[in-house]
Amino acid sequence: MTECVNVDKLGNSGTVGLVGLGTMGRGLARALARAGLDVQAVEPLGGEVAPLDGVTPRADLAAMVASLSAPRRVLLMVTAGDPVDSVLAALAPLLGPADIVLDGGNSHFRDTERRAAALAERGLLYLGVGISGGERGAREGASVMAGGPADAFDSCRDILEALAARADGTVCCAHMGPGGAGHFVKMVHNGIEYAAMQAIGEAWHLLCAGAGLDHAAIAGIFRQWNNGPLASYLMRITATVLETRDGGTGGSLVDVIADAAAQTGTGSWMVTEAMELGVPVPTVAEAVAARSLSAMADVRRAMAAGTEPAPLSADEAFISAVGDALLASLIASYAQGFAVIRAAAARYGWPVREETVAAIWRRGCIVQSQFLENIAAAYRRRPDLPLLLLDDGIAAPIAGAEAGWRRTVAAAVQAGLPVPAMASALAWYDGLRSGRLWTALTQAQRDLFGAHTYARTDRPGRFHTDWPEVE
């Protein structure tokens, strides 16, 4: 069973090998050393290890492995994909039975399961560890989502909990289940992150390009929102971004940053897996698509020639409506993400509990927010909750924001300002509350052109109609 662990139960002894001292790796190395662990570090390609207090540099993997006490524990902080496989190919022959490898990168959960199976044939244990929090989380404490054998997790608690943030007397670290469960939950975290950032970006764009407010004024609005239900790490950093001046131009830094956002792939992975599980995540999907659209800079500039969005009101009522739309869209993003976790746990037999995930996301990670307290409480009230919006404590704030949400989306559409996250979240919300959808017609069409059959509302079974021929 997954759980948040009391701080008093922490251990702080033993050695750990660390492969990869990039930005994240160096921050994590410091955290491990502060916790009293003996850190033996090596660069994955054998490069020189830059000096770091409390960390012993090693010339290569063999020297690092030789310096570790049994059972050896090695944390990989290398780029996801082929680099992980390359390191494992060189590392595995140096290890012995019961040694443990921890992958702390953003690996795809299916890759994690493949690697775990391959290492198990050598008698090695493998943990896929999702670590969220970015550079600051690496320095000050992250949210840690571990997957793999339970005994390997227990053997590495001192390592994992040394990396974790603390929230209300608990460590933001938990075992999500076997195999790739940890990396799966981290993938969902990143999908929610995509959606939340997109919704926040849309709120800023409406207030800036639509209502004509300057960045300082919008930063003030965001800081005010951060005092209420929208309180979150992303709100705080957004205000900071908008307040930051560019040393070269003297103007707002955000004005000279190209409007093309990169992506690591975890957002699209989540959308793909959600579709495989049959869980709609339109807000995450639109956020992924929005980043791809942003890269089409030449096309956008060509099509934008001679067009200007209609101005929007800058009055308090509209600003409040945008805040409502943002809150509702963020709640929808969380609800979609937790629905994916629930479906995956059922499909793969993982013991992950949504309450635990909400609890360990309260500190350290990118999507940490005040609203996660509401989410954890919802799952405490009803652990088998099929969708967050069915809890009164979640449904009430989204219903309270509905009028402002609708006003914001309608105003954006009328003005010609794109709000794909806010609009898709609203359509998802309306779809969930529709007793009968357009899909009766869709299924009839499928039966006409492909004889796919259909179910009826008045009796059980599958049916096919001999439809009239259509030219």
Side-chain angles (χ1 to χ4, degrees):
M1 179 176 292
T2 56
E3 62 178 3
C4 276
V5 182
N6 191 282
V7 174
D8 294 337
K9 296 181 181 179
L10 289 177
N12 64 352
S13 62
T15 59
V16 56
L18 178 59
V19 182
L21 284 167
T23 301
M24 283 290 289
R26 289 179 69 84
L28 297 178
R30 289 189 181 97
L32 294 169
R34 284 196 304 269
L37 287 155
D38 179 10
V39 183
Q40 306 289 319
V42 65
E43 289 290 5
L45 300 178
E48 184 177 352
V49 177
L52 199 61
D53 289 344
V55 176
T56 303
R58 294 296 175 181
D60 52 34
L61 289 173
M64 181 203 68
V65 170
S67 69
L68 302 177
S69 57
R72 300 176 186 89
R73 303 170 306 167
V74 180
L75 173 62
L76 308 184
M77 291 304 301
V78 298
T79 305
D82 291 341
V84 177
D85 288 317
S86 296
V87 170
L88 289 176
L91 177 64
L94 304 173
L95 300 175
D99 287 347
I100 305 169
V101 179
L102 304 88
D103 176 8
N106 271 333
S107 292
H108 194 290
F109 84 102
R110 296 189 189 279
D111 285 339
T112 299
E113 296 192 331
R114 169 179 59 80
R115 292 163 183 152
L119 291 183
E121 294 180 358
R122 293 174 172 265
L124 303 177
L125 300 172
Y126 195 74
L127 290 173
V129 184
I131 301 175
S132 177
E135 183 179 357
R136 179 177 177 180
R139 293 194 315 266
E140 302 176 11
S143 179
V144 180
M145 298 144 268
D151 55 348
F153 174 77
D154 288 336
S155 295
C156 294
R157 276 186 183 273
D158 55 337
I159 296 172
L160 299 172
E161 292 171 357
L163 306 178
R166 273 63 174 163
D168 301 327
T170 61
V171 181
C172 292
C173 167
H175 184 229
M176 300 288 104
H183 276 144
F184 188 97
V185 173
K186 175 56 163 54
M187 175 190 71
V188 172
H189 166 282
N190 285 20
I192 296 171
E193 175 187 312
Y194 270 60
M197 293 175 70
Q198 177 65 30
I200 291 170
E202 290 170 16
W204 164 70
H205 197 57
L206 288 172
L207 296 176
C208 178
L213 298 177
D214 62 33
H215 299 317
I218 300 172
I221 291 168
F222 275 56
R223 292 207 181 279
Q224 181 181 356
W225 286 346
N226 192 59
N227 292 324
L230 279 167
S232 66
Y233 173 70
L234 283 171
M235 293 298 291
R236 295 192 295 275
I237 68 168
T238 301
T240 297
V241 166
L242 296 176
E243 291 166 346
T244 300
R245 313 296 291 180
D246 175 47
T249 65
S252 294
L253 178 59
V254 71
D255 284 336
V256 295
I257 295 177
D259 61 338
Q263 48 188 320
T264 60
T266 48
S268 59
W269 294 350
M270 178 191 163
V271 174
T272 300
E273 294 304 324
M275 293 177 69
E276 174 67 23
L277 292 166
V279 179
V281 291
T283 312
V284 181
E286 287 293 349
V288 173
R291 294 199 188 185
S292 298
L293 186 148
S294 76
M296 302 170 64
D298 292 342
V299 173
R300 289 190 292 112
R301 291 190 182 97
M303 294 189 68
T307 66
E308 288 292 336
L312 296 173
S313 171
D315 62 20
E316 288 296 325
F318 181 68
I319 293 171
S320 177
V322 173
D324 286 340
L326 179 53
L327 176 62
S329 300
L330 294 178
I331 295 172
S333 302
Y334 280 123
Q336 291 170 27
F338 276 91
V340 173
I341 291 173
R342 179 174 182 80
R347 169 75 63 86
Y348 302 117
W350 293 335
V352 57
R353 293 172 52 199
E354 294 95 326
E355 178 191 343
T356 299
V357 175
I360 68 170
W361 283 357
R362 291 177 301 160
R363 296 286 187 279
C365 70
I366 305 302
V367 302
Q368 61 178 284
S369 70
Q370 178 176 298
F371 202 80
L372 281 164
E373 302 283 356
N374 302 56
I375 293 173
Y379 287 115
R380 281 195 297 272
R381 286 189 289 270
R382 185 178 170 187
D384 65 343
L385 188 66
L387 185 70
L388 270 172
L389 269 59
L390 293 175
D391 178 82
D392 290 343
I394 305 298
I398 203 169
E402 182 181 344
W405 193 7
R406 293 189 186 282
R407 176 185 173 183
T408 298
V409 171
V413 171
Q414 289 291 331
L417 289 167
V419 286
M422 292 180 176
S424 65
L426 181 58
W428 172 81
Y429 179 65
D430 286 338
L432 288 171
R433 301 191 307 159
S434 298
R436 186 167 172 81
L437 292 169
W438 55 86
T439 35
L441 178 60
T442 302
Q443 195 61 21
Q445 293 169 326
R446 294 182 73 245
D447 188 58
L448 187 152
F449 67 65
H452 291 290
T453 74
Y454 54 84
R456 293 180 60 97
T457 60
D458 55 354
R459 58 184 184 270
R462 300 295 302 180
F463 299 88
H464 168 66
T465 292
D466 292 324
W467 302 91
E469 289 292 328
V470 179
E471 295 297 330

